[in-house]
Amino acid sequence: MGIQENLTDFLNNLPPNIKLVAVSKTKPAQIILEAFKTGHWVFGENKVQELTDKQVQLPEEIEWHFIGHLQRNKVKFIAPFVALIHAVDSLKLLAEINKQALNNQRVIDCLLQFHIAKESSKFGLDYDKAIELLESDRYKGFKNIRITGVMGMATFTENMTQVRSEFKTLKNYFDNLKKNYFSDSPAFRELSMGMSDDYQVAIEEGSTIIRVGTKIFGER
Ligand SMILES: *Cc1c(COP(=O)(O)O)cnc(C)c1O
């Protein structure tokens, strides 16, 4: 199947309230353009240079999500146009996003990334660290970022019981944060979880945004 058929098929089988970020990393701009022509406009990239290269070549209507680990010194390159930054895992990064958003007279939507997988990874907050961030005076002064939810990646395993339990943990964090810190913020409503191999489980566990690459664009 071609990319257009693949994408249309995928979307037709998705519950209507789930937002798809089509993860186009490593795929050329031409392929993204083809996908865009089906009427889908939300794409995700995980490298700053690759994203900015593609962004200038492709239609302005594309809603670009940054889904990877973001280095502070690179925030300025995506701040003019990025729609959602999925993987914010420190106060320092959030401060830089706030600064660059202000420079661009924007408010940039962000998700807090949580470490939910068994695999050791440098990236992602644990729950206590997130609370520390949200209770800091510095965070409370940020006017040019908006936290709209949480993001996480499950362990890379075929054991779906484990994956499900990790997604449950993330949903739990989301619910607690909503109740304790964002009860009066309707914008805080996104749970970014689920990739090609586990998006169905993620949806069952309450995902609102899935990030899918391989299932749509083929192997990288
Ligand atoms: C690559 C990537 C995805 C998509 O992975 P697939 O298995 O190809 O669907 C999702 N999220 C993040 C953070 C990624 O880096």
Side-chain angles (χ1 to χ4, degrees):
M1 273 200 292
I3 172 63
Q4 296 196 329
E5 236 181 316
N6 247 356
L7 177 56
T8 311
D9 245 43
F10 189 87
L11 283 166
N12 284 341
N13 288 302
L14 214 57
N17 50 336
I18 304 292
K19 182 163 187 164
L20 169 69
V21 177
V23 176
S24 49
K25 63 192 188 194
T26 78
K27 302 295 171 184
Q30 187 52 42
I31 300 283
I32 302 171
L33 185 59
E34 259 188 68
F36 174 76
K37 285 179 179 163
T38 67
H40 187 76
W41 67 92
V42 186
F43 294 89
E45 291 282 339
N46 71 338
K47 298 219 162 67
V48 168
Q49 178 77 53
E50 188 176 344
L51 171 54
T52 53
D53 283 352
K54 288 173 178 174
Q55 193 265 342
V56 294
Q57 298 177 55
L58 286 161
E60 272 190 18
E61 293 78 14
I62 291 184
E63 182 182 309
W64 289 107
H65 290 218
F66 193 78
I67 62 171
H69 177 67
L70 180 55
Q71 288 171 280
R72 269 181 286 154
N73 60 356
K74 294 188 177 165
V75 174
K76 57 178 175 286
F77 300 117
I78 62 171
F81 65 87
V82 70
L84 180 63
I85 297 176
H86 283 239
V88 174
D89 64 355
S90 75
L91 185 61
K92 281 181 169 173
L93 174 58
L94 202 56
E96 179 62 18
I97 297 169
N98 184 66
K99 179 177 155 193
Q100 298 300 340
L102 176 61
N103 284 346
N104 287 278
Q105 294 172 291
R106 299 187 63 207
V107 173
I108 297 181
D109 285 347
C110 298
L111 305 177
L112 293 180
Q113 181 186 12
F114 283 90
H115 180 67
I116 52 170
K118 286 253 161 50
E119 294 145 353
S120 61
S121 152
K122 295 182 294 224
F123 308 128
L125 296 156
D126 60 28
Y127 192 74
D128 292 346
K129 275 270 182 276
I131 298 304
E132 208 176 285
L133 185 159
L134 293 171
E135 294 199 341
S136 68
D137 289 337
R138 197 159 178 221
Y139 164 71
K140 288 171 189 162
F142 295 159
K143 300 284 182 265
N144 292 77
I145 54 98
R146 183 171 72 160
I147 295 180
T148 59
V150 304
M151 177 269 203
M153 287 166 88
T155 305
F156 185 66
T157 172
E158 281 169 17
N159 180 350
M160 283 299 142
T161 309
Q162 183 181 340
V163 167
R164 186 181 297 278
S165 122
E166 292 169 1
F167 286 152
K168 277 186 198 295
T169 300
L170 188 60
K171 172 70 160 77
N172 213 6
Y173 292 165
F174 172 85
D175 288 341
N176 286 335
L177 294 179
K178 178 80 191 166
K179 176 157 131 291
N180 296 322
Y181 296 92
F182 295 97
S183 56
D184 56 2
S185 162
F188 187 91
R189 59 165 188 232
E190 306 294 1
L191 201 47
S192 168
M193 59 183 193
M195 309 174 22
S196 287
D197 291 333
D198 57 19
Y199 72 91
Q200 278 147 326
V201 178
I203 290 170
E204 285 165 18
E205 297 305 330
S207 174
T208 65
I209 302 179
I210 58 173
R211 311 174 309 271
V212 177
T214 310
K215 272 247 13 171
I216 292 166
F217 290 101
E219 296 292 335
R220 288 182 291 273

